[in-house]
Amino acid sequence: MNPNPRFGALGAGATAREGGEAVAILLAEKGVTVERIASRRAASPAGFWYDQPATEFVLLVAGEAGLGFDDGSERRMVAGDWAVLPAHCRHRVAWTSEAALWLAVHLPG
Amino acid sequence: MNPNPRFGALGAGATAREGGEAVAILLAEKGVTVERIASRRAASPAGFWYDQPATEFVLLVAGEAGLGFDDGSERRMVAGDWAVLPAHCRHRVAWTSEAALWLAVHLPG
């Protein structure tokens, strides 16, 4: 058995509208989802929190961004920074630069 | 429940010896392993093939590299390129540049 590999360029076709983000699923298998997220001066809505049932790993590949947490803290991320967001770690996107590019890995629930 | 997030910089402490690679595990949970791999003009041994029981997702974050496959083909990768290597897709690292940096995600078997 030698299934064929797949290839891509992370930034290819990564266009988000001003203030928003665009998600592309690169791989979904065995309960794991690998996503490319393009953000363009994006922020989660005021008062919104991601509260996810499973751990997420995220790498900021390009740009800058701030992740907010419900203790009021904010983590500034620059290209090359990664974060592990455990299940039910409430977080939001506080802000991103114009062309932020993320790789996100959602673990099985 | 609000478990604490963890943060890091992908390139921090990424030093491989000449001709080799250095692997750091960033996350291991639910059968998923997320690794940072630093390569320095590395190549798999002649005749060696990775033949893995589960799918791997790999993103080349910095540098350049060539992935070889057992049909004789080689895929040149530059920073920002990703590959999905299905289970039992035999592959090897043909070559890397001086400071190649990978993010690898191994899916559950």
Side-chain angles (χ1 to χ4, degrees):
Chain A
M1 183 166 58
N2 184 13
N4 291 329
R6 285 193 292 123
F7 302 100
L10 199 69
T15 51
R17 65 174 170 74
E18 178 68 27
E21 63 180 36
V23 178
I25 295 177
L26 306 180
L27 174 65
E29 187 183 317
K30 298 277 179 76
V32 177
T33 306
V34 179
E35 296 172 342
R36 184 274 310 280
I37 304 170
S39 311
R40 189 179 192 83
R41 281 188 282 267
S44 302
F48 172 85
W49 296 103
Y50 290 100
D51 187 343
Q52 303 176 140
T55 297
E56 176 179 4
F57 174 92
V58 67
L59 172 69
L60 185 61
V61 177
E64 298 184 12
L67 291 179
F69 297 92
D70 72 356
D71 64 357
S73 68
E74 183 180 306
R75 176 81 181 199
R76 181 167 181 263
M77 314 238 334
V78 298
D81 286 348
W82 55 265
V84 170
L85 305 168
H88 301 298
C89 172
R90 282 155 55 95
H91 63 281
R92 60 190 299 277
V93 176
W95 58 272
T96 79
S97 60
E98 182 177 349
L101 194 62
W102 310 80
L103 184 82
V105 181
H106 295 275
L107 268 61
Chain B
M1 184 166 61
N2 185 13
N4 290 330
R6 286 194 291 122
F7 302 99
L10 198 69
T15 52
R17 64 174 171 74
E18 179 68 28
E21 61 179 38
V23 178
I25 294 177
L26 306 180
L27 174 65
E29 186 183 318
K30 299 278 179 76
V32 177
T33 305
V34 179
E35 296 172 341
R36 183 278 306 283
I37 305 170
S39 312
R40 189 178 191 84
R41 282 188 281 264
S44 303
F48 172 85
W49 297 103
Y50 289 100
D51 187 342
Q52 303 176 140
T55 297
E56 177 180 3
F57 174 92
V58 66
L59 172 70
L60 184 62
V61 177
E64 299 184 12
L67 291 179
F69 297 92
D70 72 356
D71 65 357
S73 67
E74 184 180 305
R75 176 81 181 198
R76 181 168 181 261
M77 314 238 334
V78 298
D81 286 348
W82 55 265
V84 170
L85 305 167
H88 301 298
C89 171
R90 283 155 53 96
H91 64 280
R92 62 191 298 277
V93 177
W95 57 273
T96 79
S97 59
E98 182 177 350
L101 194 62
W102 310 81
L103 184 83
V105 182
H106 295 274
L107 268 60

